[in-house]
Amino acid sequence: MVKSFLEKVATNLVYFVGMLVNPLLNGAQDLWAVNWPTERRKLRLIGSPRAREARAAERERFRVMVEALGAVEGVEHVLTQVLDQSTRPTFHGRDHPRDTLLVCRLHARAYFVVREDILDVLPRIAAAGVADWQAHGQGGDPGGTVEHALRWYRDGGVDANGWRMHAPCLFSPDARLTWDRPGIPPRDPLPAGPFPSRLFVSEQNPPDADAERLLREARDNGRGTVVELELGADWVGYSQYHKVARGGFLGRGRL
């Protein structure tokens, strides 16, 4: 009886101590995982040689894609916007703050206008080597092929069974091309800044253009179809080109 009583006291004591200690441990973990590095330290981390090399390669890759698409007969470049952003990962994303200190992403979009019939221009775009567009029967988006797009226009967006077909686009493992859809052009193609605790560079070409007005004018009065080229995989509107793992002195990341 005495032994049973002592066991209950010990169990309650352990539970009580756990109730007191766990919030402190969780708070320390959150502080360690999220708030330790200074902004100055973060700037050094995203300015490391590895980060700079990855950033330059990703930006050059998009520049080549934009140049290739703009060289297609019947396609005219209107606007390019790039948001190069490094920020803390979220608790609900693929990279958790417990393991990852910073993620660097490129939000890149380029807009073009097609003044010919889009059905005539699509095969030229597919043959221009802009990206490795998926072919019929491959994975990715079921509507992301030239064959699907041509069939969509031919059949009025309805398949043989009377079902609505997927909206046409061109889809690749790291980019997608969409056109003539709601939301193009967006009211604000890229968000304005600055944002707290985010390190970023925002660029536009032409640099002084009013993006909303430029894209609206390109689409109005039957002047053409606005086409959007966006960097990103699996319908995520960005490319993640670098990650700083938590490590180094007190978990502040390694350069």
Side-chain angles (χ1 to χ4, degrees):
M1 182 175 179
V2 173
K3 183 179 179 180
S4 176
F5 174 75
L6 292 177
E7 288 177 348
K8 290 181 179 179
V9 170
T11 300
N12 290 334
L13 182 61
V14 170
Y15 176 77
F16 180 72
V17 171
M19 291 284 289
L20 293 176
V21 172
N22 280 339
L24 297 177
L25 293 176
N26 291 336
Q29 184 185 48
D30 291 342
L31 181 63
W32 184 284
V34 178
N35 298 322
W36 183 269
T38 63
E39 294 298 308
R40 185 175 180 180
R41 172 69 176 176
K42 292 175 185 177
L43 284 171
R44 290 185 62 197
L45 290 167
I46 65 172
S48 69
R50 284 185 60 194
R52 290 200 307 269
E53 183 179 350
R55 181 177 301 115
E58 197 68 359
R59 295 184 68 142
E60 174 64 12
R61 187 166 70 91
F62 188 66
R63 187 197 67 78
V64 170
M65 293 171 64
V66 172
E67 188 175 273
L69 182 55
V72 174
E73 182 184 356
V75 179
E76 176 188 337
H77 176 260
V78 177
L79 179 74
T80 296
Q81 291 191 322
V82 173
L83 178 66
D84 191 349
Q85 185 179 58
S86 299
T87 186
R88 299 179 306 194
T90 66
F91 285 92
H92 306 290
R94 180 177 54 186
D95 299 298
H96 195 279
R98 185 181 300 109
D99 308 307
T100 305
L101 192 64
L102 290 167
V103 289
C104 297
R105 295 166 177 163
L106 197 67
H107 302 250
R109 302 174 186 170
Y111 296 89
F112 305 79
V113 62
V114 174
R115 305 195 188 282
E116 301 181 28
D117 190 328
I118 191 69
L119 298 181
D120 296 331
V121 179
L122 279 177
R124 298 178 210 161
I125 294 175
V130 177
D132 186 18
W133 305 121
Q134 72 179 22
H136 181 68
Q138 291 182 337
D141 186 84
T145 66
V146 173
E147 295 85 358
H148 175 90
L150 297 177
R151 191 166 61 251
W152 190 93
Y153 281 103
R154 183 195 66 201
D155 299 335
V158 179
D159 65 17
N161 298 317
W163 294 93
R164 295 291 301 175
M165 299 169 65
H166 289 268
C169 69
L170 295 186
F171 186 90
S172 83
D174 51 17
R176 61 185 171 272
L177 189 77
T178 52
W179 61 90
D180 199 22
R181 64 170 173 81
I184 293 182
R187 182 175 180 181
D188 185 6
L190 285 179
F195 300 99
S197 73
R198 296 188 182 189
L199 309 169
F200 72 95
V201 175
S202 181
E203 298 176 356
Q204 178 177 283
N205 180 30
D208 300 323
D210 182 333
E212 183 181 352
R213 182 184 61 80
L214 194 64
L215 292 172
R216 185 177 62 249
E217 289 179 352
R219 190 177 194 178
D220 284 350
N221 301 321
R223 288 182 56 199
T225 300
V226 173
V227 175
E228 179 187 60
L229 175 67
E230 185 173 29
L231 200 62
D234 300 325
W235 292 103
V236 176
Y238 59 82
S239 171
Q240 185 167 309
Y241 61 84
H242 183 66
K243 178 170 66 174
V244 179
R246 190 164 292 282
F249 178 67
L250 295 181
R252 298 195 305 159
R254 299 182 187 275
L255 291 171

